[in-house]
Amino acid sequence: EPEVTQTPSHQVTQMGQEVILRCVPISNHLYFYWYRQILGQKVEFLVSFYNNEISEKSEIFDDQFSVERPDGSNFTLKIRSTKLEDSAMYFCASSAIRQGGGMNTEAFFGQGTRLTVV
Amino acid sequence: SQQGEEDPQALSIQEGENATMNCSYKTSINNLQWYRQNSGRGLVHLILIRSNEREKHSGRLRVTLDTSKKSSSLLITASRAADTASYFCATDGGGYSTLTFGKGTMLLVSP
């Protein structure tokens, strides 16, 4: 069964360092998302991406964050200068059709990357 | 309550019993989805129910949706120890490409 894959599963980084989290969405999906979950808290939306551009982003997704689809299969989240509060589980998701677009389609999530900023 | 709030926050049952979790939301939706998360792991999609549907089944799962009350319930019948996980409801924004999750219900099924 197709699945969203994320690498690495766990990343430890020094505060102020840049990190890139990688995702391979399901191959025929067109919409891609990043969410994060701080330990013990809700899963929060960060950004959605379609047709090589950001379609929506939350307040969390500030200038420290960027996303890219460098080739036909990968979707990356870059955090330019990590802060302690960026420590969280980051989930990539993809869907065939845009969520909330009046169409009914599931969003499939990867296993997540646990980012620990020290 | 906020969009996609589940209750109870924690539920402990014995194997074989049924587990019911509830979700309430505030704004209009196109659909509502339920996800499961094993401790420290990824989100597994369980079921999607459309705003014009009232009930949906998938194996041992039964989901109901009451748009007049802005609430949904997830029933797991004949629970198993392997059902132990956190369960989240997620609503779309009725036009936005985001999912809003609740804090989840932690379900513990004891053998």
Side-chain angles (χ1 to χ4, degrees):
Chain A
E1 186 174 331
E3 59 180 12
V4 177
T5 57
Q6 291 184 242
T7 56
S9 56
H10 193 184
Q11 171 110 31
V12 181
T13 188
Q14 296 270 344
M15 192 168 55
Q17 294 294 305
E18 174 184 286
V19 294
I20 297 176
L21 310 182
R22 302 180 192 281
C23 169
V24 179
I26 294 173
S27 63
N28 63 343
H29 284 184
L30 300 177
Y31 293 87
F32 315 115
Y33 315 86
W34 284 101
Y35 288 77
R36 79 172 185 191
Q37 184 183 32
I38 295 171
L39 187 63
Q41 298 189 23
K42 294 184 180 185
V43 176
E44 302 172 291
F45 169 75
L46 293 178
V47 65
S48 60
F49 191 87
Y50 169 71
N51 199 25
N52 285 320
E53 61 182 23
I54 290 173
S55 50
E56 287 183 70
K57 59 183 181 180
S58 71
E59 292 176 353
I60 303 168
F61 195 87
D62 61 22
D63 292 344
Q64 293 295 315
F65 292 88
S66 62
V67 289
E68 192 178 34
R69 188 155 164 81
D71 53 43
S73 60
N74 290 286
F75 179 51
T76 62
L77 173 70
K78 181 192 292 186
I79 308 175
R80 225 176 312 279
S81 176
T82 50
K83 297 174 279 208
L84 294 176
E85 53 265 38
D86 294 328
S87 295
M89 183 77 97
Y90 287 81
F91 293 107
C92 173
S94 68
S95 63
I97 304 169
R98 180 171 74 94
Q99 291 292 304
M103 308 295 285
N104 302 290
T105 184
E106 301 90 340
F108 293 92
F109 284 75
Q111 289 293 308
T113 293
R114 182 171 297 284
L115 176 66
T116 303
V117 182
V118 297
Chain B
S1 64
Q2 297 179 21
Q3 190 84 344
E5 287 287 327
E6 297 90 342
D7 77 85
Q9 291 187 347
L11 181 62
S12 183
I13 59 174
Q14 298 287 322
E15 256 188 332
E17 294 180 341
N18 295 341
T20 299
M21 289 159 272
N22 303 297
C23 167
S24 61
Y25 59 91
K26 278 191 165 181
T27 63
S28 63
I29 60 170
N30 291 311
N31 61 61
L32 184 145
Q33 305 182 45
W34 283 92
Y35 288 84
R36 184 186 73 219
Q37 184 182 36
N38 288 74
S39 180
R41 304 295 300 277
L43 294 162
V44 176
H45 186 272
L46 296 176
I47 198 165
L48 178 151
I49 186 164
R50 303 173 188 175
S51 59
N52 62 352
E53 296 177 314
R54 292 297 166 257
E55 189 171 311
K56 202 162 183 179
H57 297 255
S58 176
R60 293 185 295 113
L61 305 181
R62 173 177 168 257
V63 169
T64 62
L65 179 64
D66 186 336
T67 53
S68 66
K69 295 181 180 178
K70 291 187 168 59
S71 67
S72 173
S73 67
L74 170 67
L75 169 67
I76 304 174
T77 60
S79 62
R80 306 166 183 167
D83 294 328
T84 294
S86 290
Y87 291 82
F88 298 88
C89 69
T91 54
D92 70 356
Y96 298 94
S97 64
T98 70
L99 289 175
T100 301
F101 286 81
K103 285 188 176 179
T105 293
M106 289 182 59
L107 174 66
L108 174 63
V109 182
S110 303

